[in-house]
Amino acid sequence: MASTASTAPGALDTDDQKSRRDFLIVATGAVGAVGAGLAVWPLVDSMNPAADVLALSSTEVNIAPIQLGQAITVTWRGKPVFIRHRGPEEIKAARATDPTSLIDPEKDEVRAKKPEWLIMVGVCTHLGCIPLGQKTGEPKGEFGGWFCPCHGSHYDTSGRIRKGPAPKNLEIPPYAFVNDTTVKIG
């Protein structure tokens, strides 16, 4: 005769109790983890830069139409950026200058990744004016580069300060040549 175990009505098996308890603990932990993730996500997401900031962080410029000796101005982060297609005379003049004789010593080779292309922020380092010399007919200063009309700073063909109250050279922004006809600034 087979024996069957009988339990009293209302009494639960101890193994059954353990599995229910384990399930409730795991389920509660999972719901808590998901809730914590949902609470933290907006905080982390708010630390990302806004779309308008990302849009201004870099710009690509087609330099193919810029003729030898010509300069253009583009905007990057709300500042003018000067791009000049330098000729052999300008490159020679910039490289012939002894950097130790300058107010802010810097070699032309460091300032221009490709000698024929000079890319720099067009804001005077004295008080933030925009130097002249980008357009044909504008005064280029005593050194053939740029001239700041506000207080008389003169920059050479490499954008280095040569005369006047400006304490530093014109800033070189981070840039890279994507290919032979496109440069990415920023």
Side-chain angles (χ1 to χ4, degrees):
M1 167 169 199
S3 77
T4 57
S6 66
T7 56
L12 293 174
D13 186 34
T14 57
D15 286 339
D16 201 23
Q17 284 179 339
K18 283 184 183 177
S19 67
R20 286 182 185 164
R21 187 177 323 125
D22 290 344
F23 171 76
L24 288 174
I25 289 172
V26 170
T28 304
V31 169
V34 169
L38 290 173
V40 171
W41 181 257
L43 174 66
V44 172
D45 191 44
S46 72
M47 293 180 198
N48 289 328
D52 59 339
V53 172
L54 287 175
L56 292 174
S57 66
S58 67
T59 186
E60 288 190 9
V61 181
N62 180 11
I63 56 175
I66 305 172
Q67 300 298 317
L68 189 66
Q70 186 182 10
I72 65 165
T73 304
V74 296
T75 303
W76 172 68
R77 292 186 177 177
K79 298 176 187 174
V81 174
F82 295 166
I83 300 175
R84 183 180 279 185
H85 192 176
R86 301 189 299 178
E89 318 81 41
E90 288 181 302
I91 296 168
K92 184 178 176 183
R95 295 201 169 176
T97 304
D98 178 23
T100 59
S101 68
L102 301 173
I103 297 169
D104 184 13
E106 194 172 17
K107 290 184 176 185
D108 181 65
E109 294 86 350
V110 175
R111 295 181 60 76
K113 292 180 182 179
K114 289 186 178 181
E116 64 274 12
W117 294 105
L118 181 63
I119 300 169
M120 59 191 177
V121 177
V123 176
C124 182
T125 58
H126 179 232
L127 290 176
C129 296
I130 298 175
L132 301 174
Q134 278 295 92
K135 298 177 185 170
T136 316
E138 286 184 344
K140 295 185 182 290
E142 293 177 22
F143 301 94
W146 291 266
F147 170 71
C148 183
C150 296
H151 299 100
S153 293
H154 295 259
Y155 297 93
D156 67 8
T157 58
S158 187
R160 299 174 295 196
I161 182 65
R162 298 292 296 274
K163 179 180 176 185
K168 294 184 176 265
N169 301 329
L170 293 175
E171 179 188 350
I172 302 295
Y175 70 92
F177 288 92
V178 177
N179 54 43
D180 289 340
T181 61
T182 307
V183 65
K184 183 176 183 178
I185 303 170

